[in-house]
Amino acid sequence: MSSSFVSTSATLAAADIVALESTHSAGVTARRPLTIVRGEAAYVWDEAGNRYIDCIAGHGALNVGHCHPAVVAAIEEQSRRLMICPTSLYNDRRAQLLSRLTKLAPEGMKRAFLCNSGTEAVEAAIKFARLSTGRPGIVAARMAFHGRTLGSLSATWKPQYRRPFEPLVPGFRHVRLNRLEELDEAVDETTAAVLLEVVQGEGGVVPAGREYLQGAQALCRERGALLILDEVQTGVGRTGSWWACQQMDVTPDLMPVAKSLAGGFPMGACLIGDRVGRLPAGSHGSTFGGNPLACAAALATLDVVEREDLPGRARRLGEMFHRRLAAIDSPLVREVRGLGLMVGVDLRIKATPVLKGLQERGVLALPAGPTVVRFLPPLVIEEPDLEEVVAALADVLASAET
Ligand SMILES: *Cc1c(COP(=O)(O)O)cnc(C)c1O
Protein backbone atom coordinates (compact mmCIF):
# COMPACT_ATOMS: atom_id res chain seq x y z
CA MET A 1 0.00 0.00 0.00
CA SER A 2 1.34 3.39 -0.86
CA SER A 3 1.54 6.04 1.84
CA SER A 4 -0.85 8.96 1.66
CA PHE A 5 0.06 11.60 -0.89
CA VAL A 6 1.06 14.91 0.62
CA SER A 7 1.33 18.01 -1.49
CA THR A 8 4.43 20.02 -0.62
CA SER A 9 2.40 23.20 -0.55
CA ALA A 10 -0.21 21.89 1.90
CA THR A 11 -0.02 22.83 5.54
CA LEU A 12 0.25 19.67 7.60
CA ALA A 13 -1.42 19.13 10.94
CA ALA A 14 1.01 18.57 13.81
CA ALA A 15 -0.02 14.95 14.27
CA ASP A 16 0.51 14.25 10.56
CA ILE A 17 3.99 15.72 10.65
CA VAL A 18 4.98 13.48 13.54
CA ALA A 19 3.37 10.42 11.94
CA LEU A 20 5.03 10.99 8.56
CA GLU A 21 8.48 11.57 10.01
CA SER A 22 8.18 8.65 12.40
CA THR A 23 7.09 6.31 9.63
CA HIS A 24 9.40 7.36 6.84
CA SER A 25 12.62 8.69 8.36
CA ALA A 26 15.52 6.29 8.89
CA GLY A 27 14.80 6.56 12.59
CA VAL A 28 18.44 6.99 13.57
CA THR A 29 17.80 10.14 15.65
CA ALA A 30 16.00 10.22 18.99
CA ARG A 31 13.39 12.97 18.73
CA ARG A 32 11.54 15.22 21.12
CA PRO A 33 7.81 15.69 20.60
CA LEU A 34 8.16 19.19 19.19
CA THR A 35 7.57 20.43 15.63
CA ILE A 36 9.36 23.59 14.56
CA VAL A 37 8.08 25.46 11.53
CA ARG A 38 9.66 28.92 11.60
CA GLY A 39 12.73 30.75 12.89
CA GLU A 40 13.98 34.31 13.20
CA ALA A 41 17.23 35.43 14.86
CA ALA A 42 17.37 33.61 18.23
CA TYR A 43 13.75 32.40 18.17
CA VAL A 44 11.86 29.48 16.69
CA TRP A 45 8.12 28.80 16.64
CA ASP A 46 6.27 25.51 16.81
CA GLU A 47 3.27 24.69 14.64
CA ALA A 48 0.90 25.97 17.35
CA GLY A 49 2.62 29.37 17.35
CA ASN A 50 4.55 28.99 20.63
CA ARG A 51 7.87 30.82 20.65
CA TYR A 52 11.12 29.35 21.99
CA ILE A 53 14.52 30.87 22.67
CA ASP A 54 16.68 28.62 20.52
CA CYS A 55 19.91 27.61 22.25
CA ILE A 56 20.17 24.54 20.01
CA ALA A 57 20.44 26.74 16.94
CA GLY A 58 20.89 23.85 14.53
CA HIS A 59 23.54 22.32 16.82
CA GLY A 60 25.56 25.50 16.58
CA ALA A 61 25.00 26.10 12.86
CA LEU A 62 23.33 29.49 13.33
CA ASN A 63 25.81 31.94 14.79
CA VAL A 64 24.15 34.69 12.72
CA GLY A 65 20.68 33.53 13.82
CA HIS A 66 17.78 32.02 11.90
CA CYS A 67 17.03 33.46 8.47
CA HIS A 68 19.40 36.41 8.72
CA PRO A 69 18.13 38.89 6.07
CA ALA A 70 21.59 39.30 4.52
CA VAL A 71 21.98 35.53 4.13
CA VAL A 72 18.43 35.17 2.77
CA ALA A 73 19.08 37.93 0.22
CA ALA A 74 22.38 36.39 -0.89
CA ILE A 75 20.77 32.98 -1.40
CA GLU A 76 17.85 34.52 -3.30
CA GLU A 77 20.12 36.50 -5.58
CA GLN A 78 22.60 33.69 -6.26
CA SER A 79 19.87 31.08 -6.77
CA ARG A 80 18.63 33.09 -9.73
CA ARG A 81 22.11 33.40 -11.24
CA LEU A 82 24.01 30.11 -10.76
CA MET A 83 23.63 27.33 -8.20
CA ILE A 84 26.10 24.70 -9.35
CA CYS A 85 29.51 25.00 -10.93
CA PRO A 86 31.88 22.02 -10.78
CA THR A 87 35.30 22.68 -9.24
CA SER A 88 36.81 21.69 -12.60
CA LEU A 89 35.65 25.16 -13.72
CA TYR A 90 36.32 28.53 -12.14
CA ASN A 91 33.59 30.60 -10.48
CA ASP A 92 33.38 34.19 -9.23
CA ARG A 93 31.64 33.44 -5.91
CA ARG A 94 33.97 30.56 -5.09
CA ALA A 95 37.03 32.71 -5.81
CA GLN A 96 35.64 35.46 -3.56
CA LEU A 97 34.89 33.04 -0.74
CA LEU A 98 38.28 31.29 -0.90
CA SER A 99 40.00 34.65 -0.76
CA ARG A 100 37.82 35.91 2.10
CA LEU A 101 37.98 32.72 4.17
CA THR A 102 41.74 32.35 3.93
CA LYS A 103 42.19 36.01 4.90
CA LEU A 104 40.11 35.43 8.04
CA ALA A 105 41.83 32.12 8.80
CA PRO A 106 44.70 31.73 11.27
CA GLU A 107 48.18 32.71 10.10
CA GLY A 108 49.59 30.77 7.16
CA MET A 109 46.38 29.06 6.04
CA LYS A 110 46.19 30.19 2.42
CA ARG A 111 44.31 27.26 0.88
CA ALA A 112 40.95 25.62 1.57
CA PHE A 113 39.00 22.59 0.39
CA LEU A 114 35.28 23.34 0.22
CA CYS A 115 32.68 20.71 1.06
CA ASN A 116 29.18 20.42 2.52
CA SER A 117 29.37 19.35 6.16
CA GLY A 118 31.52 18.93 9.23
CA THR A 119 32.26 15.28 8.75
CA GLU A 120 33.40 15.92 5.18
CA ALA A 121 35.73 18.67 6.37
CA VAL A 122 37.25 16.24 8.88
CA GLU A 123 37.54 13.50 6.23
CA ALA A 124 39.41 15.96 4.03
CA ALA A 125 41.77 16.83 6.88
CA ILE A 126 42.52 13.16 7.56
CA LYS A 127 43.17 12.44 3.89
CA PHE A 128 45.34 15.54 3.42
CA ALA A 129 47.36 14.67 6.53
CA ARG A 130 48.03 11.17 5.24
CA LEU A 131 48.75 12.46 1.74
CA SER A 132 51.10 15.18 2.92
CA THR A 133 53.07 13.14 5.46
CA GLY A 134 52.92 9.72 3.80
CA ARG A 135 52.12 8.37 7.27
CA PRO A 136 48.98 6.53 8.42
CA GLY A 137 48.55 7.38 12.10
CA ILE A 138 45.94 9.71 13.62
CA VAL A 139 45.99 10.46 17.34
CA ALA A 140 42.69 11.80 18.71
CA ALA A 141 41.33 12.46 22.19
CA ARG A 142 39.01 10.42 24.34
CA MET A 143 35.50 11.90 24.43
CA ALA A 144 36.16 13.51 21.03
CA PHE A 145 33.45 14.00 18.42
CA HIS A 146 34.53 14.50 14.83
CA GLY A 147 31.58 13.15 12.85
CA ARG A 148 29.90 9.92 11.82
CA THR A 149 31.27 8.86 8.44
CA LEU A 150 33.77 6.04 8.67
CA GLY A 151 36.95 8.14 8.68
CA SER A 152 35.75 10.80 11.10
CA LEU A 153 33.94 8.11 13.13
CA SER A 154 37.30 6.40 13.58
CA ALA A 155 38.42 9.55 15.40
CA THR A 156 35.17 9.89 17.37
CA TRP A 157 35.38 8.34 20.82
CA LYS A 158 31.90 7.25 21.87
CA PRO A 159 31.61 3.43 21.80
CA GLN A 160 27.84 3.54 21.01
CA TYR A 161 28.62 5.46 17.83
CA ARG A 162 31.58 3.27 16.84
CA ARG A 163 30.97 -0.30 17.85
CA PRO A 164 28.22 -1.33 15.41
CA PHE A 165 30.38 -0.20 12.50
CA GLU A 166 33.68 -1.86 13.30
CA PRO A 167 36.13 -2.54 11.83
CA LEU A 168 36.78 1.18 11.40
CA VAL A 169 39.72 2.80 9.62
CA PRO A 170 43.05 1.44 10.90
CA GLY A 171 45.72 3.72 12.34
CA PHE A 172 43.61 5.68 14.81
CA ARG A 173 44.24 5.82 18.55
CA HIS A 174 42.88 7.85 21.44
CA VAL A 175 44.62 9.49 24.38
CA ARG A 176 43.22 11.39 27.35
CA LEU A 177 42.66 15.10 26.69
CA ASN A 178 44.90 17.57 28.52
CA ARG A 179 47.53 14.92 29.38
CA LEU A 180 50.52 16.01 27.35
CA GLU A 181 52.59 13.03 28.52
CA GLU A 182 50.09 10.69 26.79
CA LEU A 183 50.42 12.63 23.55
CA ASP A 184 54.19 12.59 23.93
CA GLU A 185 54.01 8.81 24.19
CA ALA A 186 51.57 8.40 21.28
CA VAL A 187 53.09 10.63 18.58
CA ASP A 188 55.90 8.94 16.67
CA GLU A 189 57.34 8.64 13.15
CA THR A 190 54.15 6.88 11.95
CA THR A 191 51.86 9.72 13.07
CA ALA A 192 50.29 11.75 10.27
CA ALA A 193 48.37 14.03 12.60
CA VAL A 194 47.09 14.85 16.05
CA LEU A 195 43.37 15.69 15.79
CA LEU A 196 41.76 17.74 18.57
CA GLU A 197 38.79 19.98 19.29
CA VAL A 198 39.75 23.25 20.99
CA VAL A 199 36.64 22.85 23.12
CA GLN A 200 35.10 19.38 23.04
CA GLY A 201 31.44 19.91 22.19
CA GLU A 202 29.55 16.61 22.19
CA GLY A 203 32.04 15.30 24.75
CA GLY A 204 30.66 17.62 27.46
CA VAL A 205 31.85 21.17 26.62
CA VAL A 206 35.40 20.52 27.82
CA PRO A 207 38.05 23.07 26.81
CA ALA A 208 41.52 21.83 25.92
CA GLY A 209 44.12 23.67 27.98
CA ARG A 210 46.25 26.35 26.44
CA GLU A 211 49.54 24.72 27.47
CA TYR A 212 48.25 21.38 26.27
CA LEU A 213 47.44 22.70 22.79
CA GLN A 214 50.72 24.56 22.56
CA GLY A 215 52.51 21.39 23.68
CA ALA A 216 50.62 19.41 21.03
CA GLN A 217 51.72 21.90 18.37
CA ALA A 218 55.35 21.68 19.48
CA LEU A 219 55.28 17.87 19.53
CA CYS A 220 53.80 17.74 16.02
CA ARG A 221 56.40 20.14 14.63
CA GLU A 222 59.25 18.27 16.30
CA ARG A 223 58.12 14.86 14.99
CA GLY A 224 56.95 15.77 11.50
CA ALA A 225 53.26 15.27 12.24
CA LEU A 226 50.47 17.74 11.46
CA LEU A 227 48.10 19.37 13.93
CA ILE A 228 44.43 19.23 12.96
CA LEU A 229 42.16 21.42 15.06
CA ASP A 230 38.50 20.60 14.46
CA GLU A 231 36.73 23.98 14.64
CA VAL A 232 33.47 22.72 13.16
CA GLN A 233 31.59 23.78 16.30
CA THR A 234 33.97 26.35 17.82
CA GLY A 235 34.59 28.37 14.65
CA VAL A 236 33.04 31.47 13.07
CA GLY A 237 32.96 33.47 16.31
CA ARG A 238 31.26 31.01 18.65
CA THR A 239 33.90 31.10 21.38
CA GLY A 240 34.68 34.84 21.34
CA SER A 241 37.24 34.97 18.52
CA TRP A 242 36.93 34.04 14.85
CA TRP A 243 38.58 30.69 15.63
CA ALA A 244 38.98 29.28 19.12
CA CYS A 245 42.63 28.37 18.47
CA GLN A 246 43.44 32.09 18.27
CA GLN A 247 42.69 32.46 21.98
CA MET A 248 45.15 29.64 22.67
CA ASP A 249 47.89 31.10 20.47
CA VAL A 250 48.04 27.89 18.50
CA THR A 251 48.03 27.60 14.72
CA PRO A 252 46.80 24.34 13.21
CA ASP A 253 48.09 22.85 9.98
CA LEU A 254 44.61 21.70 8.98
CA MET A 255 41.38 23.20 10.30
CA PRO A 256 37.98 21.67 9.50
CA VAL A 257 35.12 24.18 9.85
CA ALA A 258 31.41 23.85 9.02
CA LYS A 259 28.25 24.38 11.07
CA SER A 260 27.87 28.21 11.12
CA LEU A 261 30.06 28.85 8.08
CA ALA A 262 27.20 29.63 5.68
CA GLY A 263 24.60 31.00 8.10
CA GLY A 264 22.49 27.85 8.19
CA PHE A 265 23.11 26.73 4.63
CA PRO A 266 25.03 23.41 4.46
CA MET A 267 28.73 24.01 3.96
CA GLY A 268 32.07 22.82 5.25
CA ALA A 269 35.66 23.74 4.57
CA CYS A 270 39.06 22.33 5.43
CA LEU A 271 41.59 25.12 5.79
CA ILE A 272 45.12 24.18 4.87
CA GLY A 273 48.32 25.56 6.36
CA ASP A 274 51.77 25.97 4.85
CA ARG A 275 53.22 22.84 6.50
CA VAL A 276 50.87 20.77 4.32
CA GLY A 277 52.51 19.78 1.06
CA ARG A 278 51.11 20.03 -2.46
CA LEU A 279 47.86 18.08 -2.86
CA PRO A 280 47.82 16.47 -6.32
CA ALA A 281 44.87 16.98 -8.71
CA GLY A 282 42.43 14.10 -8.38
CA SER A 283 43.38 13.25 -4.79
CA HIS A 284 40.05 14.48 -3.39
CA GLY A 285 36.82 16.05 -4.59
CA SER A 286 33.13 16.73 -4.05
CA THR A 287 30.25 17.26 -6.49
CA PHE A 288 28.53 19.91 -4.40
CA GLY A 289 31.61 21.20 -2.58
CA GLY A 290 32.19 24.90 -3.21
CA ASN A 291 28.94 25.40 -5.12
CA PRO A 292 28.19 29.07 -5.82
CA LEU A 293 25.00 29.04 -3.76
CA ALA A 294 26.79 27.88 -0.60
CA CYS A 295 29.66 30.27 -1.33
CA ALA A 296 27.23 33.21 -1.63
CA ALA A 297 25.59 32.22 1.66
CA ALA A 298 29.00 31.94 3.33
CA LEU A 299 30.18 35.30 1.97
CA ALA A 300 27.07 36.99 3.36
CA THR A 301 27.53 35.17 6.68
CA LEU A 302 31.17 36.18 7.07
CA ASP A 303 30.13 39.78 6.33
CA VAL A 304 27.52 39.67 9.07
CA VAL A 305 29.91 38.10 11.58
CA GLU A 306 32.43 40.86 10.87
CA ARG A 307 30.01 43.79 10.61
CA GLU A 308 28.08 42.89 13.75
CA ASP A 309 31.30 41.91 15.57
CA LEU A 310 29.79 38.59 16.58
CA PRO A 311 33.06 37.24 18.03
CA GLY A 312 33.16 40.27 20.36
CA ARG A 313 29.51 39.79 21.17
CA ALA A 314 30.08 36.09 21.94
CA ARG A 315 32.89 37.07 24.30
CA ARG A 316 30.88 39.76 26.14
CA LEU A 317 27.58 37.90 26.31
CA GLY A 318 29.41 34.65 27.02
CA GLU A 319 31.07 36.12 30.10
CA MET A 320 27.78 37.50 31.36
CA PHE A 321 25.91 34.26 30.64
CA HIS A 322 28.60 32.15 32.29
CA ARG A 323 28.61 34.39 35.38
CA ARG A 324 24.81 34.30 35.74
CA LEU A 325 24.67 30.53 35.27
CA ALA A 326 27.41 30.01 37.84
CA ALA A 327 25.44 32.18 40.28
CA ILE A 328 22.43 29.82 40.18
CA ASP A 329 22.13 28.69 43.77
CA SER A 330 21.47 24.99 43.32
CA PRO A 331 23.21 21.92 44.77
CA LEU A 332 22.43 20.21 41.44
CA VAL A 333 25.02 22.29 39.54
CA ARG A 334 28.43 20.69 39.52
CA GLU A 335 30.22 23.05 37.16
CA VAL A 336 29.67 25.69 34.46
CA ARG A 337 32.22 25.36 31.63
CA GLY A 338 32.88 26.73 28.20
CA LEU A 339 34.28 29.50 26.08
CA GLY A 340 32.31 32.45 24.69
CA LEU A 341 28.75 31.43 23.86
CA MET A 342 29.56 27.72 23.93
CA VAL A 343 28.50 26.90 27.45
CA GLY A 344 27.85 23.67 29.33
CA VAL A 345 26.26 23.24 32.74
CA ASP A 346 27.37 19.97 34.30
CA LEU A 347 24.68 18.67 36.65
CA ARG A 348 24.50 16.12 39.43
CA ILE A 349 21.34 14.78 37.74
CA LYS A 350 20.55 13.62 34.22
CA ALA A 351 20.31 16.34 31.59
CA THR A 352 17.28 14.93 29.73
CA PRO A 353 14.53 15.88 32.24
CA VAL A 354 16.12 19.30 32.64
CA LEU A 355 16.02 19.83 28.86
CA LYS A 356 12.33 18.91 28.95
CA GLY A 357 11.71 21.38 31.77
CA LEU A 358 13.50 24.11 29.82
CA GLN A 359 11.39 23.37 26.75
CA GLU A 360 8.21 23.70 28.84
CA ARG A 361 9.51 27.14 29.83
CA GLY A 362 10.17 28.18 26.24
CA VAL A 363 13.91 27.43 26.03
CA LEU A 364 15.55 24.88 23.73
CA ALA A 365 18.95 23.53 24.76
CA LEU A 366 20.85 20.36 23.97
CA PRO A 367 22.73 17.69 25.89
CA ALA A 368 26.49 17.06 25.79
CA GLY A 369 26.81 13.67 27.41
CA PRO A 370 24.48 12.33 30.13
CA THR A 371 24.69 15.16 32.69
CA VAL A 372 25.62 18.28 30.73
CA VAL A 373 23.08 20.83 29.45
CA ARG A 374 24.65 22.67 26.51
CA PHE A 375 23.73 26.13 25.26
CA LEU A 376 24.73 27.18 21.72
CA PRO A 377 22.56 30.27 21.20
CA PRO A 378 22.83 32.34 18.03
CA LEU A 379 25.46 35.01 18.71
CA VAL A 380 22.89 37.67 17.80
CA ILE A 381 20.83 36.76 20.88
CA GLU A 382 19.84 39.71 23.09
CA GLU A 383 20.91 39.95 26.71
CA PRO A 384 17.35 39.77 28.17
CA ASP A 385 16.84 36.47 26.37
CA LEU A 386 19.97 35.03 27.95
CA GLU A 387 18.68 36.23 31.31
CA GLU A 388 15.42 34.44 30.59
CA VAL A 389 17.39 31.26 29.84
CA VAL A 390 19.19 31.53 33.18
CA ALA A 391 15.90 32.12 35.02
CA ALA A 392 14.32 29.13 33.27
CA LEU A 393 17.22 26.86 34.25
CA ALA A 394 17.14 28.11 37.86
CA ASP A 395 13.42 27.38 37.96
CA VAL A 396 13.79 23.88 36.47
CA LEU A 397 16.56 23.03 38.93
CA ALA A 398 14.58 24.39 41.88
CA SER A 399 11.64 22.18 41.00
CA ALA A 400 13.95 19.18 40.44
CA GLU A 401 15.41 19.51 43.95
CA THR A 402 12.12 18.79 45.66
C1 LIG B 1 29.08 18.64 14.49
C2 LIG B 1 30.53 18.31 14.49
C3 LIG B 1 31.11 17.55 13.46
C4 LIG B 1 30.29 16.91 12.37
O1 LIG B 1 29.61 17.83 11.60
P1 LIG B 1 28.43 17.35 10.62
O2 LIG B 1 28.12 18.55 9.81
O3 LIG B 1 27.29 16.92 11.51
O4 LIG B 1 28.95 16.21 9.82
C5 LIG B 1 32.47 17.35 13.49
N1 LIG B 1 33.23 17.87 14.46
C6 LIG B 1 32.71 18.61 15.46
C7 LIG B 1 33.61 19.18 16.50
C8 LIG B 1 31.34 18.84 15.53
O5 LIG B 1 30.82 19.55 16.54
Side-chain angles (χ1 to χ4, degrees):
M1 203 185 82
S2 70
S3 60
S4 53
F5 171 75
V6 180
S7 150
T8 48
S9 58
T11 307
L12 292 172
D16 293 338
I17 297 169
V18 171
L20 286 169
E21 279 216 55
S22 302
T23 308
H24 299 296
S25 75
V28 294
T29 313
R31 281 202 192 79
R32 313 179 193 192
L34 178 65
T35 299
I36 298 299
V37 295
R38 188 164 77 84
E40 187 188 320
Y43 305 120
V44 287
W45 285 265
D46 67 16
E47 84 299 335
N50 300 304
R51 194 190 82 173
Y52 299 83
I53 299 173
D54 186 12
C55 297
I56 297 179
H59 286 211
L62 288 161
N63 288 2
V64 300
H66 287 273
C67 303
H68 193 290
V71 178
V72 171
I75 291 172
E76 269 177 13
E77 193 274 330
Q78 187 62 40
S79 70
R80 275 192 285 268
R81 201 150 69 85
L82 185 69
M83 287 198 246
I84 292 290
C85 174
T87 44
S88 52
L89 306 168
Y90 292 91
N91 173 258
D92 53 348
R93 285 285 175 263
R94 193 190 305 129
Q96 281 177 303
L97 178 66
L98 285 168
S99 152
R100 190 77 201 281
L101 188 58
T102 51
K103 270 199 194 82
L104 290 166
E107 188 74 24
M109 309 198 91
K110 292 287 164 257
R111 292 170 286 169
F113 174 80
L114 301 176
C115 51
N116 315 286
S117 67
T119 198
E120 285 173 74
V122 172
E123 295 288 341
I126 293 167
K127 286 182 71 174
F128 296 162
R130 284 185 165 182
L131 198 57
S132 175
T133 61
R135 300 170 173 189
I138 305 288
V139 182
R142 292 196 193 188
M143 305 303 291
F145 184 85
H146 296 293
R148 294 166 179 274
T149 52
L150 290 172
S152 66
L153 182 61
S154 305
T156 290
W157 165 255
K158 211 175 177 181
Q160 301 96 292
Y161 293 168
R162 298 167 58 89
R163 214 160 268 150
F165 307 102
E166 288 172 351
L168 296 173
V169 179
F172 285 69
R173 57 180 293 187
H174 291 84
V175 294
R176 278 179 293 178
L177 184 73
N178 288 333
R179 306 281 183 106
L180 197 56
E181 69 282 4
E182 291 197 13
L183 212 51
D184 187 15
E185 194 266 318
V187 177
D188 59 23
E189 69 291 343
T190 67
T191 308
V194 170
L195 167 54
L196 298 167
E197 292 157 274
V198 181
V199 182
Q200 290 189 333
E202 304 289 323
V205 192
V206 181
R210 192 186 165 80
E211 284 75 36
Y212 177 75
L213 289 170
Q214 292 182 355
Q217 175 175 278
L219 265 177
C220 287
R221 298 213 167 154
E222 176 194 302
R223 300 187 193 166
L226 299 171
L227 179 64
I228 307 173
L229 292 180
D230 178 348
E231 293 244 20
V232 168
Q233 190 166 146
T234 50
V236 198
R238 167 64 55 193
T239 66
S241 49
W242 269 96
W243 318 106
C245 62
Q246 292 169 323
Q247 291 177 65
M248 308 292 177
D249 291 314
V250 171
T251 307
D253 301 304
L254 290 157
M255 191 172 84
V257 301
K259 294 211 160 100
S260 277
L261 180 57
F265 198 85
M267 184 176 222
C270 180
L271 286 143
I272 303 164
D274 51 20
R275 293 183 68 239
V276 178
R278 202 180 67 84
L279 303 166
S283 58
H284 199 44
S286 163
T287 299
F288 289 120
N291 70 77
L293 194 54
C295 290
L299 276 165
T301 301
L302 298 177
D303 272 347
V304 170
V305 173
E306 189 159 58
R307 198 170 58 232
E308 301 185 14
D309 184 25
L310 295 186
R313 203 177 158 85
R315 195 172 339 112
R316 277 192 311 280
L317 291 180
E319 272 162 24
M320 164 273 185
F321 189 43
H322 196 118
R323 199 169 56 239
R324 298 281 172 89
L325 287 169
I328 292 178
D329 186 18
S330 168
L332 300 180
V333 175
R334 197 196 309 270
E335 192 186 13
V336 179
R337 296 190 291 264
L339 198 61
L341 275 177
M342 178 174 180
V343 181
V345 180
D346 196 354
L347 301 171
R348 292 198 167 82
I349 55 173
K350 292 251 179 278
T352 313
V354 175
L355 294 172
K356 188 163 175 284
L358 285 172
Q359 183 177 316
E360 285 158 7
R361 290 161 180 79
V363 173
L364 301 183
L366 65 167
T371 63
V372 178
V373 172
R374 179 173 34 153
F375 298 100
L376 296 173
L379 309 183
V380 296
I381 194 169
E382 302 288 345
E383 198 164 326
D385 286 329
L386 283 175
E387 280 167 12
E388 201 174 315
V389 172
V390 176
L393 181 63
D395 192 39
V396 174
L397 293 177
S399 49
E401 272 171 46
T402 50

